[in-house]
């Protein structure tokens, strides 16, 4: 099938801007992988002597590559640093030509179509009918969660990066920050939002936050990080990389005495590399049954085995204990975000916590978040994602909303 006439017209109308800003050589491999151009097309484009001539050749080829070529072209533009503004320009022109509201963009999931707004986030209160019976008789394995507020919550929201950083602006991250703010307010936390910080300011504020004396009278702490990232690190707005271990170290037993033995919950929405999950067919699964394991079983596997030391003392705990790091994606892979609704991870996290915080512990809810993101969210080209919680908790975490 031929390319839609509206798509051709939008490309033609934006020829000058596209020719000026396109970086064709950076796009070719992705365009070929997505089926937007052929191998011969790449050779033709590379044979041109200047970037501008290469851009003109690419714009001559794309309209000849079928009905899906325009969307695939836009999809690739969204993925490349310095090119996303071109994809937004093309999509906005398409929507203007339709005469109605903008549709979902390239990283929009088919599930959770309505944007969560703070006014729509209401956490269901604790219902003792649905709490595990063992919870009542085994409180030693549950963190104390009775203080009002439950703890302090810090949301780090980096959206606008310096030009020198060569990083895209994070459209949709403000929606994440608003939704998380409302969620943790409903879970009885005092919330602070830190926006667009440089490396030096971020480290200064993190250590100030970790040292606040209020932690002594509260039962937990929450930190949400929304930014660009690389394996084991996040970007600050000045383009510097901060190791996540440096951020969490501020809260460990050596540096934050008020937080020893209390759950320290980190929720991290950031890429952890450049790989893209292309998904796998469920036809390859041998069994049609899905086994839902209890949280106790999951924690048993995480902490299976016993180690003994020569010391008989149990008066101390490991400095790095009692942490939960809920990453939005697995190591090495990208993390998807919708430019209006926010990230897949935070959308799913808010919905699951709204529904189940009154009856399930955090680890079990994060398993639900994994399943929701994995099954219900995908990009234009069926690209997928699965979150990756790292559990160093020593007990179960229940929020007990409403109590």
């Amino acid at each position: 099938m031929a390319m839609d006439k509206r798509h051709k017209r939008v490309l033609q109308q934006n020829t000058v801007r596209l020719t000026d800003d396109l970086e064709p050589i950076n796009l070719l491999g992705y365009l070929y992988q997505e089926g937007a151009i052929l191998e011969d097309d790449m050779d033709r484009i590379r044979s041109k002597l200047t970037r501008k001539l290469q851009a003109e050749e690419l714009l001559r080829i794309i309209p000849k590559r079928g009905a899906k070529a325009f969307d695939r072209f836009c999809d690739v533009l969204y993925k490349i640093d310095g090119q996303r503004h071109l994809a937004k320009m093309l999509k906005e022109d398409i929507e203007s030509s339709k005469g109605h509201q903008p549709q979902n963009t390239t990283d929009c999931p088919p599930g959770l179509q309505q944007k969560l707004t703070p006014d729509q986030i209401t956490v269901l209160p604790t219902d003792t009918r649905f709490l595990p019976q063992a919870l009542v008789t085994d409180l030693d394995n549950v963190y104390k969660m009775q203080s009002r507020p439950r703890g302090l919550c810090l949301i780090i929201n980096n959206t606008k990066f310096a030009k020198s950083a060569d990083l895209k602006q994070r459209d949709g991250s403000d929606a994440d920050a608003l939704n998380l703010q409302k969620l943790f307010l409903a879970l009885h936390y005092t919330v602070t939002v830190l926006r667009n910080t440089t490396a030096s300011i971020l480290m200064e504020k993190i250590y100030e936050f970790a040292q606040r004396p209020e932690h002594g009278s509260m039962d937990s702490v929450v930190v949400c990080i929304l930014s660009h990232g690389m394996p084991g690190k996040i970007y600050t707005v000045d383009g510097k990389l901060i190791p996540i271990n440096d951020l969490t170290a501020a809260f460990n037993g050596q540096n934050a005495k008020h937080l020893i033995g209390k759950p320290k919950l980190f929720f991290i929405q950031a890429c952890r590399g450049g790989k893209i999950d292309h998904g796998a067919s469920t036809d390859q699964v041998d069994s049609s049954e899905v086994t839902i394991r209890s949280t106790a079983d999951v924690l048993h596997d995480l902490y299976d085995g016993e180690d003994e030391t020569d010391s008989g003392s149990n008066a101390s705990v490991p400095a790095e204990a009692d942490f939960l790091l809920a990453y939005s994606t697995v190591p090495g892979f990208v993390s998807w975000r919708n430019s209006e609704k926010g990230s897949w991870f935070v959308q799913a996290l808010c919905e699951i916590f709204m529904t189940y915080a009154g009856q399930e512990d955090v680890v079990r809810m994060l398993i639900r978040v994994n399943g929701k993101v994995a099954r219900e969210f995908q990009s234009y080209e069926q690209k997928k994602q699965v979150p990756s919680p790292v559990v160093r908790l020593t007990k179960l975490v229940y929020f007990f909303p409403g109590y």
Side-chain angles (χ1 to χ4, degrees):
M1 293 178 61
M3 179 178 284
D4 188 290
K5 291 181 179 179
R6 288 181 299 109
H7 293 168
K8 288 185 177 180
R9 184 163 57 251
V10 166
L11 288 173
Q12 184 178 10
Q13 291 170 346
N14 289 285
T15 297
V16 174
R17 180 72 183 278
L18 289 167
T19 303
D20 287 342
D21 289 2
L22 274 174
E23 297 290 344
I25 295 302
N26 295 338
L27 304 176
L28 292 184
Y30 292 98
L31 290 169
Y32 177 71
Q33 178 179 295
E34 298 293 279
I37 61 175
L38 307 175
E39 189 171 356
D40 289 342
D41 297 333
M42 290 196 294
D43 293 336
R44 287 168 54 192
I45 294 167
R46 288 192 180 110
S47 69
K48 302 302 177 182
L49 299 179
T50 67
R51 184 205 58 79
K52 187 171 184 178
L53 291 174
Q54 292 168 348
E56 290 173 350
E57 186 63 23
L58 176 59
L59 292 174
R60 279 193 288 268
I61 290 170
I62 289 292
K64 301 175 183 178
R65 292 297 171 256
K68 297 182 179 180
F70 180 87
D71 286 337
R72 290 171 176 171
F73 180 53
C74 291
D75 194 12
V76 169
L77 290 175
Y78 265 103
K79 299 173 186 174
I80 306 298
D81 288 345
Q83 303 286 279
R84 185 170 190 177
H85 67 288
L86 298 176
K88 292 180 68 176
M89 174 186 70
L90 295 175
K91 285 295 186 181
E92 287 170 1
D93 283 0
I94 285 295
E95 298 308 329
S96 296
S97 70
K98 292 179 181 179
H100 58 68
Q101 294 297 317
Q103 293 180 332
N104 296 319
T105 53
T106 180
D107 55 357
C108 177
L112 198 59
Q113 292 292 332
Q114 296 300 316
K115 174 183 174 183
L116 283 172
T117 65
D119 291 339
Q120 294 173 305
I121 294 183
T122 303
V123 175
L124 297 179
T126 301
D127 190 332
T128 55
R129 294 175 301 170
F130 297 105
L131 291 173
Q133 189 63 34
L135 188 63
V136 179
T137 58
D138 196 19
L139 290 177
D140 288 343
N141 283 322
V142 179
Y143 286 104
K144 177 177 173 289
M145 197 69 76
Q146 297 175 338
S147 64
R148 283 291 190 104
R150 295 287 191 261
L152 303 180
C153 170
L154 177 65
I155 299 173
I156 299 163
N157 181 26
N158 289 338
T159 63
K160 299 185 183 301
F161 293 79
K163 290 184 179 180
S164 59
D166 195 27
L167 293 166
K168 295 180 289 185
Q169 307 308 304
R170 298 187 62 255
D171 298 332
S173 189
D174 285 340
D176 281 347
L178 283 170
N179 289 332
L180 288 169
Q181 182 176 0
K182 184 67 175 181
L183 174 68
F184 284 105
L185 284 171
L187 290 172
H188 314 306
Y189 284 82
T190 298
V191 180
T192 301
V193 180
L194 192 59
R195 286 177 53 84
N196 297 325
T197 56
T198 61
S200 59
I201 291 176
L202 176 59
M203 293 307 299
E204 176 186 339
K205 295 297 183 182
I206 279 286
Y207 273 87
E208 284 181 4
F209 179 75
Q211 294 300 317
R212 285 177 64 171
E214 300 98 303
H215 292 306
S217 60
M218 299 178 188
D219 292 335
S220 62
V221 65
V222 171
V223 178
C224 303
I225 301 173
L226 313 171
S227 192
H228 287 301
M230 292 291 285
K233 301 176 181 180
I234 64 159
Y235 278 103
T236 51
V237 296
D238 51 351
K240 295 182 179 179
L241 283 165
I242 302 294
I244 291 172
N245 286 344
D246 288 358
L247 299 177
T248 60
F251 298 85
N252 68 24
Q254 295 173 344
N255 295 317
K257 302 297 185 183
H258 290 314
L259 291 169
I260 292 176
K262 299 177 182 181
K264 294 162 274 285
L265 311 177
F266 283 72
F267 301 91
I268 303 169
Q269 165 55 41
C271 290
R272 303 178 74 187
K275 296 179 183 178
I276 295 174
D277 191 335
H278 297 276
S281 172
T282 55
D283 293 339
Q284 299 172 16
V285 179
D286 292 331
S287 172
S288 60
E289 297 182 357
V290 177
T291 301
I292 300 178
R293 306 178 66 214
S294 71
T295 304
D297 290 339
V298 173
L299 290 175
H300 179 271
D301 287 350
L302 287 169
Y303 299 105
D304 195 19
E306 296 181 0
D307 291 305
E308 297 181 356
T309 67
D310 293 332
S311 170
S313 171
N314 60 356
S316 64
V317 295
E320 301 298 331
D322 306 306
F323 279 88
L324 173 102
L325 283 75
Y327 290 96
S328 60
T329 189
V330 295
F333 282 78
V334 301
S335 184
W336 292 86
R337 170 175 33 83
N338 181 271
S339 60
E340 294 183 359
K341 298 179 178 70
S343 64
W344 298 359
F345 174 62
V346 173
Q347 288 184 67
L349 182 81
C350 288
E351 182 172 331
I352 294 298
F353 279 35
M354 284 163 54
T355 307
Y356 295 100
Q359 55 187 278
E360 294 185 354
D361 70 279
V362 169
V363 172
R364 188 170 180 85
M365 287 193 291
L366 287 174
I367 293 173
R368 289 187 182 273
V369 172
N370 285 2
K372 188 172 188 66
V373 174
R375 288 191 294 267
E376 298 184 21
F377 290 70
Q378 64 183 27
S379 70
Y380 268 146
E381 297 298 324
Q382 288 82 50
K383 302 303 184 288
K384 303 293 287 184
Q385 177 182 327
V386 64
S388 179
V390 176
V391 180
R392 300 206 300 265
L393 299 171
T394 58
K395 300 179 182 181
L396 302 177
V397 177
Y398 284 86
F399 288 116
F400 300 120
Y403 279 80

